[in-house]
Amino acid sequence: MILRCGIIGAGQIAWRYDGGRWDGRRSLTHAACFDRHESTDLVAVFDPVLASRDAFAAGYAGPSTVLLPDSLQDFLALDLDLVAIASPTQHHGDHLRACLDAGVMRLWVEKPVTLDFSDFEDLRTRIKAMQTPPRICVNYFRRALPQVARLKAYVQNCADLTGVEIVYSRALAVNGVHLLDLLGYLFNVVTPPPLDWVRPDSSGANPDFGLTLAGVPVTVTGHDLPYHLIELRLTGRDGRMALTQGGAALTWDAAQPNPDYPGFFNIDASQPILPFETTQAAMYDGMFLMLDNLVDAQATAVSPLNSAYFAQGVLTRVADAGGLV
């Protein structure tokens, strides 16, 4: 069965990053993933901005003949089996509700789900009450990576984890939220704890704050930088594991005896846990893996709507503490 697919929003993550075509190596957008998957066919894209629709019509490099309706009503009248919601985050709630009203049974939602926690709760309550709820995937694609699976195994099996450090740039609600989601995923926590602190002079898009998970202190540090910084480090008594380069590298720094000072230990040079070629390729495959999981109704959901509660809750707590403007 080929699923008829559509995209709401014609921006970067929808198709622009790679032209919307699977090139045999990278599928970085929703359109390219639809092109790549044997069970999906992109049939329509809706964006309320005419210039965005025109840009798609001129630049889309995929194989499909794609309709570009000028209204959401006309888009949803096309009997779509799967819709990717890639519009600006402030519109996600309205677009999700429209898809629910139209009976779309598979939804692929960009992160974060909403910017307003009450809006998220309203959606979650409505979907939970539905007799036949849709299968929903929130696009926290790092959950599907083998390097993150190794991170999670370390967290679950490490009895003496002493701290977690997160560093990010280019906005907590845009890039840092990936790492917030990973926190909940790694520790198997859905409801976030209260914040321990928010640095009072760090308000803005990149706030600093701290919290505690399973007795482990977590420090989150934002940076106002022109480049992407997405890194997570786990420190234990046996060494330190780090996810760096946006998630494309996983390394281990082992605690070892210090040969110069008997009885003392130091940290060895970083060693890759998985070959970089493997972890980089997985990054290129991340979105496709999320789509594949969404398409397979028999598979355990990797990133269902309910699991996004943790990241949404932390964003809300930081905002309520005056640390997110």
Side-chain angles (χ1 to χ4, degrees):
M1 175 183 175
I2 304 299
L3 301 177
R4 291 169 52 81
C5 302
I7 305 174
I8 299 176
Q12 302 281 50
I13 197 66
W15 73 278
R16 285 180 183 266
Y17 285 137
D18 54 17
R21 186 178 183 91
W22 160 238
D23 64 3
R25 189 172 71 93
R26 303 184 306 165
S27 47
L28 305 179
T29 64
H30 294 282
C33 289
F34 290 141
D35 176 17
R36 179 179 176 182
H37 203 288
E38 62 182 11
S39 297
T40 60
D41 182 25
L42 178 61
V43 299
V45 171
F46 167 70
D47 194 296
V49 179
L50 176 60
S52 297
R53 299 198 301 272
D54 288 345
F56 181 89
Y60 171 63
S64 305
T65 298
V66 179
L67 301 173
L68 294 167
D70 57 10
S71 77
L72 183 60
Q73 181 179 7
D74 289 342
F75 171 84
L76 291 172
L78 294 172
D79 192 26
L80 299 169
D81 302 302
L82 190 161
V83 170
I85 297 177
S87 52
T89 306
Q90 62 266 32
H91 300 303
H92 284 184
D94 290 339
H95 290 152
L96 266 166
R97 289 183 182 87
C99 288
L100 294 175
D101 290 342
V104 181
M105 292 309 297
R106 287 180 176 85
L107 296 170
W108 190 7
V109 186
E110 272 304 315
K111 51 73 199 169
V113 177
T114 68
L115 292 176
D116 182 85
F117 191 72
S118 63
D119 198 25
F120 177 83
E121 281 285 66
D122 178 71
L123 285 163
R124 193 170 73 138
T125 300
R126 175 178 173 178
I127 291 166
K128 185 177 180 180
M130 294 176 68
Q131 185 173 2
T132 307
R135 187 172 173 88
I136 299 179
C137 171
V138 182
N139 197 33
Y140 287 118
F141 71 87
R142 286 168 177 79
R143 286 176 172 236
L145 305 182
Q147 51 266 46
V148 171
R150 294 292 294 269
L151 263 179
K152 184 163 185 172
Y154 180 67
V155 171
Q156 296 301 309
N157 295 311
C158 182
D160 54 5
L161 193 63
T162 61
V164 178
E165 300 167 82
I166 283 175
V167 292
Y168 72 94
S169 67
R170 299 181 65 82
L172 181 65
V174 177
N175 285 322
V177 71
H178 276 292
L179 297 172
L180 298 183
D181 176 71
L182 282 187
L183 273 181
Y185 180 65
L186 295 175
F187 283 86
N188 289 330
V189 175
V190 173
T191 303
L195 300 181
D196 294 336
W197 56 270
V198 177
R199 186 171 295 169
D201 59 351
S202 70
S203 62
N206 305 290
D208 305 341
F209 57 95
L211 51 90
T212 301
L213 284 176
V216 179
V218 179
T219 301
V220 181
T221 305
H223 296 269
D224 183 12
L225 297 169
Y227 58 86
H228 287 74
L229 186 65
I230 299 178
E231 298 184 349
L232 185 150
R233 288 179 171 80
L234 304 169
T235 301
R237 296 192 180 279
D238 55 347
R240 182 173 57 192
M241 190 175 291
L243 187 71
T244 60
Q245 298 189 42
L250 183 65
T251 57
W252 174 249
D253 308 343
Q256 62 176 8
N258 188 326
D260 298 316
Y261 300 96
F264 290 89
F265 288 76
N266 60 12
I267 290 291
D268 196 6
S270 295
Q271 300 293 326
I273 294 176
L274 296 170
F276 181 73
E277 295 78 8
T278 299
T279 53
Q280 177 66 75
M283 283 287 290
Y284 290 153
D285 281 343
M287 281 191 60
F288 177 78
L289 294 173
M290 299 303 274
L291 173 61
D292 190 54
N293 180 256
L294 177 60
V295 168
D296 184 359
Q298 304 306 312
T300 300
V302 173
S303 185
L305 181 73
N306 192 58
S307 70
Y309 187 96
F310 183 88
Q312 294 285 155
V314 174
L315 285 175
T316 299
R317 291 185 188 280
V318 174
D320 289 347
L324 187 61
V325 178

